[in-house]
């Protein structure tokens, strides 16, 4: 219970992307075998999520397992983690394992035990279900490479978005200790993929790729700095996901951190995820959404709408003639709806009632589009006026309702 509770602060536990198949053992991590269960903010709840131990040699100010924190300490043995995973899986409690750990003694000592767990699950228990393993910063490349042969996804937490922020809360750590293993694993993934083109039975190596996590709100980075780091990591290390975790105060011993009673910045966290989505799936460039002149995301509206209001000269968009890439940039129109629009207009010009049936957020999108029966352009000249109209007519569950102790942006 202690180690499961301590693991809840790590949100980078998605179980998507693996193609490991059942070859005569127990479990299946192929896309059809994993039961994906997500909370509203994207957290996966289908995995057994535990720490090997909450002992740690580091004293990171933001971490509940910091060595100076007065909490009960515990540790699993290798056999206990294996038995727990297999028993839970057989009872259909879980669909996979998310395994992380504090660092006791040193990085290699901890990584070696994590390796023994995943190796025992695969080779002795013949478990073919999903395994997500946290890489230990500073562990040897030999241990990381061997572990990569038995797991589906690996991740290593960046912790704070910038080096300066990390030094503020964890002087013993550095981003270089995260970048090196990310680059090593990325290189190995590409090497194994290239070998598989030539050798049919090349073993899989981290088939679901890598991810990382950043803590938001503990240090004074702005949204542009945060997303700049994420954008760089996506491009440089081909990460599958970057996770953004709003800082939850754990004690009042560090005056430079938000104190207990301060609400985590959940709305800001959500806006960062939305920005991340635009970068990965909507072909936005970061500088279009955030830049040195616009460093903070709007909390009361989503980033796509914010971009549109700052670029009203690009609207309205004619849904009967615009290409797919232009249509998906319209606030209120998602990728699936855009594909429906492009497909449906082949059979005739689209009208307002037809767009409403396609699942778009028409009350929002109508200000940025024209269709066959639009009498005049429905756009507005002034962005503040249009923003107020959309906020007044919308019913989003993410409407900004900032309590008095909401974590302030720096």
């Amino acid at each position: 219970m202690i180690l499961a509770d301590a693991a809840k602060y790590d949100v980078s536990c998605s179980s998507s992307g693996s193609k490991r198949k059942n070859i005569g053992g127990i479990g299946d991590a192929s896309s059809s075998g994993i039961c994906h269960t997500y909370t509203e903010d994207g957290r996966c709840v289908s995995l057994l999520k535990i720490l090997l131990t909450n002992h740690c040699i580091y004293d990171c100010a933001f971490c509940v397992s910091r060595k100076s924190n007065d909490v009960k300490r515990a540790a699993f043995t290798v056999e206990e983690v294996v038995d727990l995973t297999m028993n839970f899986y057989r009872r259909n409690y879980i669909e996979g394992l998310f395994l992380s750990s504090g660092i006791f003694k040193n990085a290699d000592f901890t990584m070696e035990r994590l390796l023994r767990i995943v190796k025992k699950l695969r080779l002795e228990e013949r478990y073919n279900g999903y395994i997500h393993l946290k890489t230990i910063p500073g562990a040897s490349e030999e241990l990381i490479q061997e572990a990569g042969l038995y797991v589906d996804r690996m991740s290593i937490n960046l912790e704070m978005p910038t080096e300066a922020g990390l030094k503020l809360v964890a002087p013993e750590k550095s981003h270089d200790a995260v970048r090196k293993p990310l680059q090593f694993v990325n290189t190995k993934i590409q090497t194994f993929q290239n070998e598989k083109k030539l050798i049919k039975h090349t073993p899989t190596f981290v088939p679901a790729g890598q991810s990382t996590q950043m803590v938001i709100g503990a240090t004074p980075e702005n949204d542009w700095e945060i997303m700049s780091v994420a954008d760089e990591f996506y491009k440089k290390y081909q990460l599958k996901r970057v996770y953004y975790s709003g800082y939850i105060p754990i004690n009042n011993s560090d005056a430079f951190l938000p104190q207990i009673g301060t609400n985590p910045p959940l709305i800001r966290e959500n806006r960062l995820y939305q920005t991340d989505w635009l970068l990965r799936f909507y072909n936005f460039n970061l500088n279009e959404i955030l830049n040195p002149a616009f460093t903070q995301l709007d909390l009361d509206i989503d980033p796509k709408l914010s971009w549109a209001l700052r670029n009203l000269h690009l609207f309205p968009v004619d849904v009967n003639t615009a290409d797919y890439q232009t249509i998906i940039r319209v606030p209120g129109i998602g990728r699936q709806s855009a594909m429906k629009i492009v497909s449906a207009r082949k059979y005739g010009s689209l009208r307002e009632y037809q767009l409403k049936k396609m699942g778009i957020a028409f009350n929002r999108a109508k200000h940025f589009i024209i269709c066959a029966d639009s009498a005049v352009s429905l756009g507005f000249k002034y962005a503040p006026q249009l923003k107020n109209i959309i906020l007044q007519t919308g019913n989003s569950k993410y409407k900004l309702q900032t309590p008095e102790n909401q974590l302030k942006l720096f």
Side-chain angles (χ1 to χ4, degrees):
M1 184 66 181
I2 294 173
L3 298 176
D5 186 66
K8 69 184 179 183
Y9 297 99
D10 200 319
V11 300
S12 56
C13 60
S14 171
S15 61
S16 60
S18 178
K19 297 182 179 179
R20 187 182 301 273
K21 296 185 180 298
N22 191 318
I23 51 176
I26 296 175
D28 191 337
S30 63
S31 58
S32 61
I34 287 291
C35 177
H36 299 95
T37 304
Y38 296 94
T39 59
E40 289 184 344
D41 56 358
R43 291 179 173 87
C44 176
V45 295
S46 62
L47 308 178
L48 172 61
K49 185 179 179 183
I50 57 173
L51 298 179
L52 175 62
T53 181
N54 64 343
H55 288 275
C56 194
I57 62 175
Y58 293 116
D59 197 32
C60 304
F62 61 91
C63 182
V64 68
S65 297
R66 61 187 298 187
K67 66 180 181 181
S68 64
N69 208 19
D70 185 19
V71 296
K72 290 184 178 180
R73 306 289 175 170
F76 284 118
T77 65
V78 171
E79 291 72 21
E80 285 174 336
V81 176
V82 172
D83 291 343
L84 186 64
T85 302
M86 297 309 299
N87 287 335
F88 274 32
Y89 192 90
R90 289 189 177 103
R91 295 178 184 181
N92 203 30
Y93 292 162
I94 61 169
E95 292 294 337
L97 172 67
F98 175 89
L99 182 60
S100 184
S101 181
I103 303 174
F104 50 159
K105 290 193 176 180
N106 56 60
D108 278 350
F109 183 88
T110 307
M111 191 69 198
E112 187 271 336
R113 276 150 182 76
L114 296 175
L115 171 59
R116 284 170 55 194
I117 291 171
V118 297
K119 195 171 182 179
K120 191 177 182 68
L121 282 169
R122 296 298 193 204
L123 301 183
E124 296 183 23
E125 300 293 338
R126 296 182 62 79
Y127 172 72
N128 294 292
Y130 182 85
I131 298 178
H132 181 155
L133 184 67
K134 279 290 182 181
T135 306
I136 304 300
S140 68
E141 293 181 346
E142 292 76 14
L143 289 173
I144 295 175
Q145 179 171 340
E146 187 174 2
L149 297 171
Y150 300 106
V151 303
D152 297 286
R153 175 168 289 185
M154 300 184 82
S155 60
I156 182 168
N157 286 351
L158 190 62
E159 311 294 12
M160 299 300 148
T162 64
E163 186 78 28
L166 184 63
K167 291 300 182 184
L168 180 66
V169 296
E172 300 168 289
K173 292 185 175 181
S174 71
H175 277 185
D176 190 53
V178 174
R179 289 175 177 272
K180 284 184 177 179
L182 284 175
Q183 181 60 63
F184 174 76
V185 172
N186 182 46
T187 300
K188 287 297 178 181
I189 289 174
Q190 296 177 18
T191 299
F192 275 80
Q193 289 175 343
N194 291 333
E195 289 180 357
K196 198 171 186 64
K197 296 176 183 178
L198 302 174
I199 305 173
K200 182 178 180 180
H201 297 293
T202 299
T204 58
F205 184 85
V206 197
Q210 299 185 92
S211 61
T212 192
Q213 174 178 323
M214 292 185 279
V215 177
I216 305 303
T219 49
E221 294 89 2
N222 58 47
D223 294 335
W224 178 65
E225 291 175 306
I226 293 169
M227 294 310 305
S228 294
V229 174
D231 190 48
E232 177 199 353
F233 273 53
Y234 276 127
K235 294 175 179 177
K236 192 170 185 178
Y237 307 117
Q238 286 74 55
L239 298 186
K240 295 297 183 181
R241 286 292 301 273
V242 174
Y243 292 85
Y244 312 92
S245 179
Y247 175 68
I248 300 174
I250 56 175
N251 57 53
N252 292 324
S253 60
D254 300 288
F256 56 86
L257 290 175
Q259 302 299 289
I260 292 177
T262 303
N263 286 349
L266 299 182
I267 298 176
R268 184 187 185 194
E269 178 185 310
N270 177 256
R271 297 300 180 219
L272 291 169
Y273 275 116
Q274 291 174 326
T275 303
D276 186 283
W277 202 260
L278 293 179
L279 296 179
R280 292 192 295 135
F281 300 112
Y282 285 76
N283 294 325
F284 276 85
N285 293 318
L286 178 59
N287 284 339
E288 294 180 276
I289 306 171
L290 291 164
N291 52 64
F294 187 79
T295 61
Q296 294 292 137
L297 294 167
D298 290 313
L299 295 185
D300 51 352
I301 58 175
D302 67 81
K304 190 203 276 191
L305 177 56
S306 176
W307 168 81
L309 292 175
R310 286 180 279 122
N311 292 274
L312 287 177
H313 62 283
L314 300 176
F315 299 97
V317 169
D318 189 338
V319 296
N320 286 297
T321 59
D323 60 21
Y324 169 80
Q325 294 297 337
T326 301
I327 294 174
I328 62 172
R329 287 177 169 240
V330 175
I333 299 181
R335 295 189 300 163
Q336 291 186 343
S337 297
M339 286 189 284
K340 290 179 182 179
I341 290 172
V342 173
S343 178
R345 70 190 187 187
K346 296 176 183 177
Y347 305 99
S349 297
L350 297 178
R351 290 170 168 76
E352 182 176 312
Y353 79 94
Q354 294 170 306
L355 294 176
K356 290 179 179 180
K357 292 181 178 181
M358 292 181 182
I360 72 173
F362 188 78
N363 285 337
R364 175 175 301 193
K366 67 181 181 182
H367 302 292
F368 302 94
I369 61 174
I370 56 174
C371 47
D373 56 349
S374 297
V376 293
S377 172
L378 299 179
F380 285 82
K381 184 176 181 180
Y382 300 108
Q385 178 187 7
L386 180 53
K387 177 180 177 180
N388 289 334
I389 291 174
I390 293 174
L391 287 176
Q392 290 170 7
T393 58
N395 58 355
S396 172
K397 61 186 175 183
Y398 296 114
K399 275 187 176 180
L400 183 59
Q401 295 177 348
T402 307
E404 291 183 359
N405 61 346
Q406 169 72 36
L407 184 62
K408 302 300 181 183
L409 301 182
F410 295 92

